[in-house]
Amino acid sequence: MKLKRSLPETTTATPSTMGSEIKPPASGILTSPDRLRKIDQLREKNIDVILPLPTLVAVGDQSSGKSSLLESVTGIPFPRGQELCTRYATQITHRRDPEVQIIITIIPAPQSTEAEKATLRSYRKELSSTTELRDQFAKILDEVNVYMKIKTDKNPEGEKTFSRDILKIEKCGPTEDYLTVIDVPGIFRLTSKGQTTESDRNLVRDMVTGFIKDKRTIILAVLPANVDVMTQEILALAEQYDPDGERTLGVLTKPDLVIERSAKEAVCNLVTGRKKALNLGYYLVKNRGGDDDDDSKDDSGIRRKERDLFQQSPWCNLPQERVGVAALRERLQDLLGEITDKAYPELRSEARKKLAEAREQQDALGPPRQTEREQQQYLAQIAAKFQQIVRAALEANYSTHSAFDEHGLRLISQVVTVIDIFNRQMRQKGHTYSFGKIDTGEWGSSDNKADDSEEEENASEHGTEQNIATNAKEVRRAFPELESIIHMVEEPSAEFTVQQDNSNWIRNMYHESRGVELGTFSPIVLASAFREQTTKWSLMTEHHLSDIILSIHKFIISILKIVCSDSKLFEAIKSILMDDLLARYAKGMDYAKFLVQVEREKKPYTVNHYFSSNLQKARGDRVAEALQNKRYYDSNCVSVEYAVKFEHVSTAITNKSNEQHAQDDIHDILKSYYKVSRKRFVDNVWLYAVDHHLLSGPNSPLTLFSEQWVLGLDEDSLNAIAGESRTTRDKRKELTKKIADLEEALRILK
């Protein structure tokens, strides 16, 4: 509410010279009676709690003359000498109707319980005339106090001093012009011992601000003309919610009590816009006073006194369209029509938007789940969504759900990556000691290269491989439940180093395990050598299985969060699933350990022809190595470049001792078998431990949360997981009512 620059005091105040913020009144013709009726229908249904409705609200300090003003503007004869209506808001509605009648009802406060609303709505009085209302009004107000539980002398059992319920008085007749004004209790600064409390003062202030804060509310600031308006708290409050003064209209009452000339001049300056101008201006009216004895059937006596007063100086110099109850009433009708016409299309748009939002919030709560069957259906639907995402993840069908936009949830891709890393690290670093190379020179170099590439390819990448899992500390912090299952290594590359001293290791192994053998060695030597050569298999397997389990666990937790409608439901499902999930992870890990045990503890054996081929090739390479120095170039041979004499072949490896022959055989057999065993082992880890136990098998952790699991829950477990909390029930109830109200609002606004 900005203060405008005062006009020079020498300026004569006329309608043409007043500030542009003071607009001349409109024609007074009702522009939208049907729309105004619909706005009142919305207010009756408490739609104003959801949608701000076009409203004229009379506010003021206590004893500002609000009730008298409302009586003058509306013709409703409020009982004098009583302050019954100041305990709650009063809505007075004029509606054109063929039948003359006055209908009095109560609009319950939105905070009321359903039982309280039913009781309050049951109150209804129908009167045939204003005369009948005047005769019965005091009694009616006493009845209303009982229904609203207002404590008075006549209702000492009442519980409240003020109420948020609204008394509605609807005046109908063929000559009525449509107008709705709401009168709220007057604000007060000081409390009265035994009558009002600090909480009462705050309640009244909250009621007033609740009405005036909405952008579609015209604030009728009722101010007694015989006091300095700058001291009136209601103007400061109006300025707080309407800082530019665009929707505040000042109404000055009690001009007959203004005696001093300077005080009268100050009032005139307000009306003419010279002082504290408002966009809607000020009006000056005279209401019925406490000492007025006029008991006529209408207000003709009061209006006559008002005309006589305003013919006196200085009031007679004021613009006539700013003086008197008739001018004010006409302006209020125009204002209500204007703000209603402006707001009407916005109300429909806002109602549709809020309805869509409410339905979306209701959908997010899921279907109702009070009964066991409802809870079962609800959980089954969530489990079905979960399994649908799981299937897509295992099939790498990442376009089916937005969850896969996060690459960390592309499960099968992550698992395959870990298996590839596992296979590569097993090939490059799985053996404790490196295998010796047989130097055949240029003979069979292509074959040897192909054979030895398994150990040597990507040698430059040794120690640079990174696993999917995060570091051990981060895993322990994020998923402490997995600590007893997965194997977390801070620096795995340090534990997977290959030792190069192969010949000494074989020699020592042979010496420590040989018995009385002639031209051969004990099978125990080979079994012992294989176990020592595969010492790292257990650690490497556990490490990579841990990566896979961690990826699966992250996936399950993340997808559960996505498919669950709220955090409570997610935590409940997670809590009940966790023990079984951990058991299934442990079973997968245990099976991988079992595969390690089978490979390492059983006697080395295979029927794979690849073993025989590798062994024969290794022995042939040793012969070729021994013949390198005895080969020669033969120009007569077209099929080969080098040749050796036949007698040299038979004596090629005769210069080795029994011990060296045994050590070479141990090395070659171990190397040939190790390759077969390693490949078999990696395949088995993938097939049985990973794919069957952890991914796609019937007891995979991914298959745990399913519709079958839901059907197996008992009633208590169902209720613990899917039963609605009081908060959810209240939210669902609130949204159901809000949706019904908004649907009704759209029906009314058609």
Side-chain angles (χ1 to χ4, degrees):
M1 192 185 299
K2 297 179 180 177
L3 298 179
K4 308 294 182 181
R5 180 184 301 172
S6 299
L7 296 174
E9 293 191 6
T10 56
T11 304
T12 303
T14 66
S16 60
T17 60
M18 286 189 298
S20 59
E21 68 278 16
I22 300 181
K23 299 178 182 178
S27 63
I29 299 175
L30 189 61
T31 57
S32 51
D34 183 60
R35 288 184 173 182
L36 292 169
R37 179 180 58 81
K38 290 183 176 182
I39 296 300
D40 270 348
Q41 287 179 320
L42 295 176
R43 190 173 286 110
E44 287 175 11
K45 297 182 179 298
N46 281 326
I47 302 299
D48 54 335
V49 176
I50 307 173
L51 298 172
L53 300 176
T55 307
L56 301 178
V57 177
V59 294
D61 293 3
Q62 279 190 344
S63 303
S64 61
K66 281 192 302 86
S67 296
S68 297
L69 173 66
L70 266 291
E71 179 180 352
S72 300
V73 171
T74 65
I76 299 298
F78 290 97
R80 281 178 287 171
Q82 301 186 48
E83 293 185 356
L84 298 175
C85 291
T86 60
R87 304 292 185 90
Y88 39 79
T90 303
Q91 174 185 321
I92 304 171
T93 296
H94 294 258
R95 178 165 56 85
R96 186 165 296 180
D97 193 86
E99 182 181 357
V100 177
Q101 61 176 341
I102 298 174
I103 304 170
I104 301 178
T105 56
I106 300 174
I107 302 175
Q111 301 89 342
S112 303
T113 65
E114 292 303 318
E116 290 171 339
K117 289 179 180 179
T119 300
L120 292 168
R121 286 172 179 151
S122 69
Y123 184 82
R124 183 180 178 89
K125 286 287 182 180
E126 295 185 9
L127 307 168
S128 59
S129 65
T130 305
T131 302
E132 186 178 1
L133 175 61
R134 181 180 288 108
D135 295 338
Q136 298 187 32
F137 208 178
K139 179 183 177 183
I140 290 172
L141 293 177
D142 289 337
E143 295 173 351
V144 168
N145 286 333
V146 174
Y147 272 78
M148 292 188 184
K149 301 180 180 179
I150 299 293
K151 185 176 182 179
T152 64
D153 292 340
K154 294 182 179 181
N155 184 38
E157 294 82 14
E159 303 171 355
K160 298 179 283 187
T161 306
F162 295 91
S163 173
R164 293 183 183 272
D165 303 319
I166 299 175
L167 176 66
K168 180 182 179 184
I169 304 173
E170 190 173 15
K171 189 177 181 184
C172 308
T175 60
E176 293 291 337
D177 286 332
Y178 216 106
L179 177 66
T180 295
V181 183
I182 297 177
D183 176 31
V184 295
I187 59 177
F188 56 93
R189 299 179 182 85
L190 302 176
T191 60
S192 301
K193 186 175 182 180
Q195 296 182 8
T196 57
T197 63
E198 186 66 21
S199 62
D200 292 332
R201 190 178 75 87
N202 293 333
L203 173 61
V204 170
R205 190 178 182 88
D206 288 344
M207 291 170 63
V208 172
T209 56
F211 278 102
I212 69 175
K213 68 182 180 181
D214 293 329
K215 62 181 180 180
R216 298 190 178 105
T217 296
I218 297 297
I219 304 170
L220 306 182
V222 183
L223 308 161
N226 62 326
V227 300
D228 184 358
V229 297
M230 300 301 293
T231 66
Q232 295 295 289
E233 186 177 357
I234 193 60
L235 270 186
L237 196 60
E239 184 175 1
Q240 182 179 345
Y241 293 98
D242 181 28
D244 295 327
E246 295 179 348
R247 54 186 181 87
T248 302
L249 186 148
V251 181
L252 300 169
T253 63
K254 305 180 181 182
D256 51 318
L257 300 182
V258 183
I259 305 301
E260 296 179 1
R261 181 176 179 179
S262 60
K264 291 181 178 180
E265 184 178 356
V267 172
C268 291
N269 287 338
L270 288 172
V271 176
T272 56
R274 288 193 180 106
K275 181 180 180 182
K276 202 170 180 65
L278 299 172
N279 189 49
L280 299 178
Y282 286 86
Y283 282 74
L284 185 65
V285 299
K286 181 188 183 307
N287 305 318
R288 184 193 300 272
D291 298 329
D292 288 333
D293 297 325
D294 184 65
D295 291 324
S296 59
K297 301 297 182 182
D298 54 35
D299 62 351
S300 57
I302 300 300
R303 299 284 69 81
R304 183 171 57 253
K305 291 180 180 181
E306 183 185 56
R307 284 195 301 273
D308 292 343
L309 175 65
F310 290 150
Q311 287 174 0
Q312 300 173 16
S313 179
W315 315 129
C316 60
N317 297 322
L318 295 174
Q320 294 304 300
E321 66 271 16
R322 292 278 165 179
V323 174
V325 171
L328 174 62
R329 178 184 172 88
E330 184 177 342
R331 181 59 177 141
L332 294 182
Q333 288 175 329
D334 290 335
L335 277 175
L336 188 58
E338 289 171 12
I339 61 176
T340 300
D341 286 341
K342 179 182 178 181
Y344 202 80
E346 296 176 356
L347 285 172
R348 284 185 293 194
S349 175
E350 288 181 21
R352 292 191 189 97
K353 181 180 179 181
K354 289 182 179 293
L355 179 59
E357 291 173 352
R359 284 173 174 166
E360 184 177 345
Q361 292 174 12
Q362 188 183 55
D363 291 341
L365 294 178
R369 45 191 193 276
Q370 298 297 318
T371 67
E372 182 179 355
R373 180 172 178 80
E374 287 175 342
Q375 293 168 359
Q376 206 170 59
Q377 289 177 337
Y378 174 68
L379 268 186
Q381 289 175 359
I382 293 176
K385 291 180 182 177
F386 179 85
Q387 287 301 320
Q388 185 180 13
I389 299 176
V390 167
R391 286 192 295 272
L394 293 179
E395 295 168 359
N397 191 2
Y398 300 136
S399 62
T400 59
H401 200 282
S402 59
F404 298 122
D405 292 345
E406 182 182 341
H407 287 198
L409 296 181
R410 298 188 173 190
L411 181 61
I412 196 63
S413 299
Q414 287 220 332
V415 172
V416 170
T417 298
V418 174
I419 287 296
D420 283 346
I421 294 172
F422 177 52
N423 182 45
R424 187 157 51 250
Q425 288 199 348
M426 283 288 290
R427 184 175 65 241
Q428 296 173 353
K429 302 179 181 181
H431 39 288
T432 306
Y433 298 94
S434 61
F435 287 103
K437 298 182 180 65
I438 301 174
D439 184 12
T440 59
E442 297 180 11
W443 290 14
S445 59
S446 60
D447 291 339
N448 287 338
K449 182 179 180 181
D451 179 53
D452 292 339
S453 64
E454 290 191 327
E455 281 71 42
E456 302 305 322
E457 66 179 1
N458 298 326
S460 62
E461 298 181 5
H462 285 196
T464 64
E465 201 75 74
Q466 292 184 349
N467 289 23
I468 301 298
T470 52
N471 64 66
K473 291 182 181 178
E474 184 177 336
V475 173
R476 290 188 182 97
R477 184 172 58 251
F479 305 105
E481 64 272 17
L482 296 179
E483 189 166 2
S484 63
I485 297 172
I486 64 177
H487 183 85
M488 294 172 287
V489 181
E490 296 291 351
E491 297 182 10
S493 59
E495 300 190 29
F496 299 158
T497 304
V498 178
Q499 299 183 40
Q500 301 299 321
D501 192 14
N502 176 275
S503 58
N504 289 333
W505 166 65
I506 293 288
R507 182 184 306 109
N508 293 336
M509 177 68 66
Y510 174 72
H511 285 163
E512 292 170 1
S513 304
R514 66 182 175 177
V516 182
E517 296 95 12
L518 187 61
T520 182
F521 55 87
S522 171
I524 297 175
V525 175
L526 189 61
S528 299
F530 182 76
R531 277 195 298 273
E532 188 164 347
Q533 187 70 324
T534 57
T535 301
K536 293 185 290 184
W537 282 21
S538 180
L539 181 62
M540 295 181 75
T541 303
E542 289 180 35
H543 181 69
H544 289 87
L545 257 289
S546 296
D547 281 352
I548 292 174
I549 290 172
L550 183 59
S551 295
I552 293 172
H553 192 62
K554 286 180 178 179
F555 174 84
I556 290 175
I557 298 302
S558 299
I559 301 304
L560 269 180
K561 285 183 179 179
I562 291 172
V563 299
C564 290
S565 58
D566 58 68
S567 58
K568 175 185 174 296
L569 177 64
F570 162 72
E571 291 295 341
I573 294 177
K574 175 186 170 185
S575 176
I576 293 184
L577 285 176
M578 189 55 67
D579 286 344
D580 287 339
L581 280 177
L582 296 179
R584 296 190 178 197
Y585 296 148
K587 193 170 183 179
M589 179 65 80
D590 289 344
Y591 199 85
K593 293 178 181 178
F594 166 74
L595 292 175
V596 173
Q597 181 183 4
V598 168
E599 288 290 346
R600 297 189 68 229
E601 301 301 327
K602 294 294 182 180
K603 290 182 179 180
Y605 184 76
T606 181
V607 294
N608 192 327
H609 70 89
Y610 184 60
F611 167 74
S612 178
S613 299
N614 273 326
L615 181 56
Q616 293 172 21
K617 180 177 177 301
R619 287 171 173 170
D621 286 345
R622 290 198 180 277
V623 174
E625 182 182 33
L627 293 173
Q628 276 194 78
N629 296 329
K630 298 179 180 181
R631 64 184 178 177
Y632 62 92
Y633 178 75
D634 189 348
S635 60
N636 296 323
C637 296
V638 295
S639 58
V640 293
E641 190 172 352
Y642 291 98
V644 294
K645 294 180 179 181
F646 181 77
E647 60 270 16
H648 291 165
V649 174
S650 60
T651 60
I653 56 175
T654 58
N655 60 337
K656 290 186 177 181
S657 67
N658 289 340
E659 179 179 328
Q660 186 61 48
H661 274 293
Q663 292 177 17
D664 288 347
D665 275 353
I666 291 172
H667 176 276
D668 295 343
I669 294 172
L670 178 62
K671 181 177 180 181
S672 300
Y673 179 73
Y674 179 88
K675 289 182 180 180
V676 172
S677 178
R678 189 204 70 226
K679 292 179 179 180
R680 178 178 63 199
F681 173 70
V682 171
D683 282 344
N684 286 340
V685 168
W686 158 253
L687 185 61
Y688 298 109
V690 177
D691 189 29
H692 181 74
H693 279 89
L694 295 176
L695 293 180
S696 60
N699 294 316
S700 157
L702 293 170
T703 63
L704 177 58
F705 183 48
S706 62
E707 295 171 83
Q708 290 76 17
W709 180 83
V710 172
L711 295 175
L713 293 173
D714 58 36
E715 184 177 354
D716 291 340
S717 297
L718 265 176
N719 189 56
I721 298 174
E724 290 186 329
S725 64
R726 182 180 297 276
T727 302
T728 302
R729 288 198 301 270
D730 292 345
K731 183 67 173 177
R732 186 185 302 281
K733 185 177 180 180
E734 175 189 334
L735 287 172
T736 300
K737 183 182 184 304
K738 186 175 183 180
I739 289 170
D741 288 345
L742 287 168
E743 289 174 343
E744 179 66 11
L746 286 173
R747 185 191 66 78
I748 292 172
L749 290 169
K750 283 184 179 178

